[in-house]
Structure formats: C-alpha cells, structure tokens
Amino acid sequence: MRSRFTAVFALTLALAASGGATAAAAPQSPHTAPTSAPRLADPHPCAGKPGFTCSFLTVPLDHRHPGRKDTLRLQVAIADNAGAPNGVLLFLTGGPGQPGVPFIDGISKRMPELAKSHRFVMIDQRGTGEFGAIDCPRLQAEVDGSDIEPPTPAAVGECAGVLGDRRHYFTTEQTVGDLDLLLRALGVRKWTVDGVSYGTMTGATYTASHPQNVTRLVLDSVLPHVDPQHDDMLYLTGLRATARVLRDACRAAPACGFDPAEDLAWLARNREDAVLIWDMLVAYEFLDPTYRDASAIGGLGDVVSAIHDARHGNPGHLDRLLQVLDSGGGDPAEYSSGLHIATICGDGQFPWGTSETSPARRQAALDLTRKHLPARATWPFTSDTAVGNGFIQECLHWPWARHTAEPRRTRLPVPVLLLNGDHDLSTPLEWAREALRYAPRGELVVVRGAAHSIQNRERGTQGREAVVRFLNG
C-alpha cells in the first residue's frame, strides 16, 4: 500500500522528496542522564543539506523525574546563519509522528525571506525520525499516517508491547520539556515558534507554559491546544465541516447543480465503509484542494463527482479512489504510527475519559456516547462514523497510560498568527476560530480554496506573505 502523510498534522509530499530519514530505529536504550547544562553534541553538516548543521540533544525520558537515568537522544538541525537579525525560528512538524530534520531545507526554500531574517531550527521530536522512530510494524502496515482509518486491536496490542512501560513518555507534555532544553542548549533567551498541524498543538502548549520564551507564534492548520467540550477525539468538527467544504467546492464555476453533502449523507447511511470514505476525503485534500479536478491522481480526481455517481448507483470511481488513497505501509522514520498512538492516547480526552480509565470500562462509555450523539453533531455522517474513527478505536484498545492534562495556563499572551485553509478537512477552519479565543493578541488569516498546511502546500502566496509580514514587520 501507499504511504501518506495525513491529518492532524502533515507536511507536503513534495517537501519529503527534498531529503529525509532512510531507516527506522526502535526506541533507544537508556543513556546516562545528563549532569550538566543541556548542549548540542556531535555537530556535523547535515547530509545532503548544505547550509545546515545537525547535532544531538540528550533529554530525560521523563521530565517529571529528570534525575532518572533513562534518556533519549534527539536529532536537531540548525541553519548556519547564526547572525540572523530576527533570531531563532523553531519550526514544528505535525502528525504527531513526523520528524523535523528532513524538512528543514524544504521549508527554508518555501520561505526564503524568513530563512534570511531568522535562523531556522527543527527537531526530530521524541519517537520520530532516523535515529528514534518508534517502530510498530503491524500498526504501520495498517494505518501509517492516517488519523481516521481504525487499526485492528491486534495491531494496537503489538505496539503497546513494543513500547511497554515507555508508552507513558511520548506525550506533548514531555515534548514541551524537550523544547525547553533545546532553547537552553541553543544559548538564546527567546525564539519565534511556528507549528503546522499537530505542531500547532505542541507550539501552543509550549507557549502557554513558557510565554516568556516566545516572541511570536504562528499556528498553521490549527488543532486547538484546549478541548473544553472533550470531544475533539470524536472529530465532530471535522465530520460537520465536510458538508461546508464540499458544498463550497460545488459552487465553484461551473457549479455542480446538486448537493454533495446530501449525496455523502446517503452513502454514510447505506454503505458500511463510511469511516473509510471519510478517511479518503481527508487524504484527497492533499492532492486536490478543489475536490473537483478530474486530472488529479492520474485522472482519478473530482471526488465530488465520484460521491455523486456512487449515490446514484455507479460506485466504481469512488471505490477506485478508496483503493488508491488507502493508508498503510510507510517507513516509520518518515512517519511513526507508534509515536502517533502513544501521543494521541496520552494527550486526548475520550468518551470514557482519559488513558487512565480502565480499558474494561471504555466500551460501555463509548456505546453510551454513540447512542446519545444527536444527528446534527455528525451530519452528513453518523454517530457510528464518529465512534469508529482511528483516534477512538486505537485508544479504546490502548492499555492504561499516564494522561497528560491540558496546560495549567491556556492563554497565549504573545502575538499569534493563525492560518487556515477553508478547504481543510484535517484541521478544519472551525478549529482555528475556536483557538483564536485563547489568543487575545491573535489574528486569523483564512486562505480561500486552500487545504491543509498553508506554508508547505499553499498553491498561491497569500498565507506565506501573511507569515512574512507578521514575523518581519
């Protein structure tokens, strides 16, 4: 099957071609815990990336108990322009599951003005990348980078066995601790933070926890760092957004003349693969943000027409898209599904509570949620689609694990720029509007007709120009 970078979180496939990790590694054996100030060890030119230096940062496995001996060694890439006038810019990738180092030259080329004014820094966050990717073979083969396709319980169980007791330590809280050590290792007091997809969750959580360290914050394709309704893992906002996005696509000239949301609602109630149709739509946006380009995907594009035809008895086009855009089978060094499950299950709030709820009590709570979800909460999909998504199903079977609570401080007091495409189904525009409430000095830029990951994949320049104005004045 084909590997894809999707959901909460993903950089462009084109950027991946610029270079990257080539081999996965299991979680590392314990190192000797650092006894001095954090530092970047073994500096050397990044392979195939002139102008960038790679090194390693040693961090505690558990920042709550940093004196313990278990540590992780994280790869860091830094631009060589140490005298950049606007200081350091930390760029955070998403997933969770993506590394950072492979993409530093690609994002620098996409944002040349910022590459001159700032010193770009990227890190392979814990559990990712060439030297630290969590490798769960069965889970990787089944879902790779998909948030929505549900893995089998056997794949989840295998991954829990791969991690063992280390499953507690791959949460956003722990990554925030890593970033604080990275700041100190760089020898700077403040930096600019720029996160994409799940990187917005990490960047916002870091900023809420350490606002004194952040000059400005960019949140691109926003996953809110606060979930007051405790329903983000049900992905209800994304389910509802499909109606808005497909209808908007259908209004573009030449107009469709039918309602794609009604067609999708019929399919969701008359086919057994509604979750996979939803998963396919989220994958599709990465290749055709118009949702109507018949030439996309080697002539298999125009998903709006595929849905309409399937509703009226001709499912061949839709079934072919489901086959071509199926997930699974990628290299964990490029996207670690093991890290993804450990982070999502450790961070998230679910119908049963958190990962600290006994697995034996979770199914009953989920069944109750399915029963009482109103149709308006999930339309054009159904409650079965909501509870069947990958976030829910993987964590339903994940063993007990320490939960990372939301940050004690949720306000983002620094200047914040939020970017979102109005055709984004991975992190829908509604989430960006929700996150804006926590940013009193925030500004939201909506890029019309764009899908996920503006800085990396926007076909025009509106979003990137907004970032340059925001950061360079």
Side-chain angles (χ1 to χ4, degrees), residues 306-389:
I307 290 170
H308 184 67
D309 291 345
R311 160 68 178 88
H312 292 280
N314 299 299
H317 186 184
L318 178 62
D319 290 342
R320 182 63 177 148
L321 281 172
L322 287 167
Q323 180 183 16
V324 169
L325 296 180
D326 190 18
S327 35
D331 185 343
E334 296 177 355
Y335 192 110
S336 169
S337 58
L339 183 278
H340 184 279
I341 191 172
T343 302
I344 292 297
C345 297
D347 282 358
Q349 294 274 354
F350 301 90
W352 54 82
T354 72
S355 55
E356 295 182 353
T357 300
S358 167
R361 296 168 48 199
R362 296 175 188 174
Q363 185 65 58
L366 185 60
D367 291 343
L368 194 63
T369 294
R370 178 194 288 111
K371 180 179 179 180
H372 291 289
L373 267 177
R376 66 179 181 277
T378 62
W379 197 91
F381 292 99
T382 68
S383 59
D384 284 340
T385 317
V387 302
N389 84 65

Side-chain angles (χ1 to χ4, degrees), residues 63-83:
H63 283 280
R64 296 186 183 188
H65 302 94
R68 294 178 179 172
K69 291 184 178 180
D70 289 2
T71 65
L72 298 169
R73 195 165 176 252
L74 310 180
Q75 185 178 211
V76 177
I78 307 172
D80 292 339
N81 58 334

Side-chain angles (χ1 to χ4, degrees), residues 70-151:
D70 289 2
T71 65
L72 298 169
R73 195 165 176 252
L74 310 180
Q75 185 178 211
V76 177
I78 307 172
D80 292 339
N81 58 334
N86 290 354
V88 171
L89 188 154
L90 174 69
F91 198 96
L92 297 168
T93 51
Q98 277 196 311
V101 169
F103 303 109
I104 191 165
D105 54 341
I107 188 61
S108 297
K109 291 173 183 175
R110 284 276 292 180
M111 311 287 286
E113 300 93 342
L114 294 185
K116 293 177 182 177
S117 59
H118 292 77
R119 190 182 194 191
F120 273 70
V121 174
M122 297 185 75
I123 184 172
D124 290 345
Q125 297 172 46
R126 57 173 57 203
T128 74
E130 179 181 4
F131 300 101
I134 297 169
D135 187 359
C136 296
R138 190 164 181 174
L139 189 69
Q140 196 79 32
E142 289 185 4
V143 298
D144 191 22
S146 174
D147 294 319
I148 297 169
E149 182 173 0

Side-chain angles (χ1 to χ4, degrees), residues 363-451:
Q363 185 65 58
L366 185 60
D367 291 343
L368 194 63
T369 294
R370 178 194 288 111
K371 180 179 179 180
H372 291 289
L373 267 177
R376 66 179 181 277
T378 62
W379 197 91
F381 292 99
T382 68
S383 59
D384 284 340
T385 317
V387 302
N389 84 65
F391 284 149
I392 296 295
Q393 291 300 314
E394 67 187 10
C395 296
L396 176 67
H397 301 289
W398 193 243
W400 184 94
R402 179 190 294 167
H403 171 65
T404 297
E406 290 176 348
R408 284 171 291 185
R409 289 181 288 184
T410 57
R411 190 169 174 266
L412 304 173
V414 305
V416 182
L417 176 67
L418 301 94
L419 295 173
N420 232 93
D422 65 344
H423 281 190
D424 190 345
L425 292 178
S426 296
T427 52
L429 175 59
E430 289 82 353
W431 268 348
R433 298 192 190 283
E434 180 182 323
L436 184 63
R437 298 201 297 263
Y438 295 91
R441 301 170 68 185
E443 172 193 1
L444 172 61
V445 171
V446 179
V447 182
R448 301 296 177 187

Side-chain angles (χ1 to χ4, degrees), residues 216-385:
R216 289 174 179 264
L217 174 65
V218 176
L219 303 177
D220 176 351
S221 306
V222 183
L223 174 65
H225 68 295
V226 182
D227 180 13
Q229 294 82 27
H230 295 168
D231 64 4
D232 284 353
M233 294 299 100
L234 285 164
Y235 229 142
L236 301 181
T237 302
L239 286 170
R240 294 191 298 269
T242 56
R244 172 182 58 77
V245 169
L246 294 182
R247 283 170 169 167
D248 185 68
C250 221
R251 281 192 290 267
C256 297
F258 55 83
D259 185 349
E262 290 287 355
D263 290 338
L264 183 58
W266 187 91
L267 294 177
R269 287 154 181 79
N270 289 275
R271 287 181 54 139
E272 296 181 352
D273 57 355
V275 172
L276 298 182
I277 293 174
W278 176 24
D279 181 56
M280 180 273 294
L281 281 169
V282 173
Y284 185 93
E285 74 172 280
F286 287 81
L287 304 169
D288 172 22
T290 74
Y291 297 89
R292 295 182 59 196
D293 182 358
S295 68
I297 320 178
L300 277 176
D302 192 355
V303 72
V304 168
S305 292
I307 290 170
H308 184 67
D309 291 345
R311 160 68 178 88
H312 292 280
N314 299 299
H317 186 184
L318 178 62
D319 290 342
R320 182 63 177 148
L321 281 172
L322 287 167
Q323 180 183 16
V324 169
L325 296 180
D326 190 18
S327 35
D331 185 343
E334 296 177 355
Y335 192 110
S336 169
S337 58
L339 183 278
H340 184 279
I341 191 172
T343 302
I344 292 297
C345 297
D347 282 358
Q349 294 274 354
F350 301 90
W352 54 82
T354 72
S355 55
E356 295 182 353
T357 300
S358 167
R361 296 168 48 199
R362 296 175 188 174
Q363 185 65 58
L366 185 60
D367 291 343
L368 194 63
T369 294
R370 178 194 288 111
K371 180 179 179 180
H372 291 289
L373 267 177
R376 66 179 181 277
T378 62
W379 197 91
F381 292 99
T382 68
S383 59
D384 284 340
T385 317

Side-chain angles (χ1 to χ4, degrees), residues 196-222:
V196 175
S197 197
Y198 204 89
T200 66
M201 162 77 86
T202 307
T205 303
Y206 177 86
T207 302
S209 303
H210 302 284
Q212 72 282 359
N213 296 345
V214 179
T215 55
R216 289 174 179 264
L217 174 65
V218 176
L219 303 177
D220 176 351
S221 306
V222 183

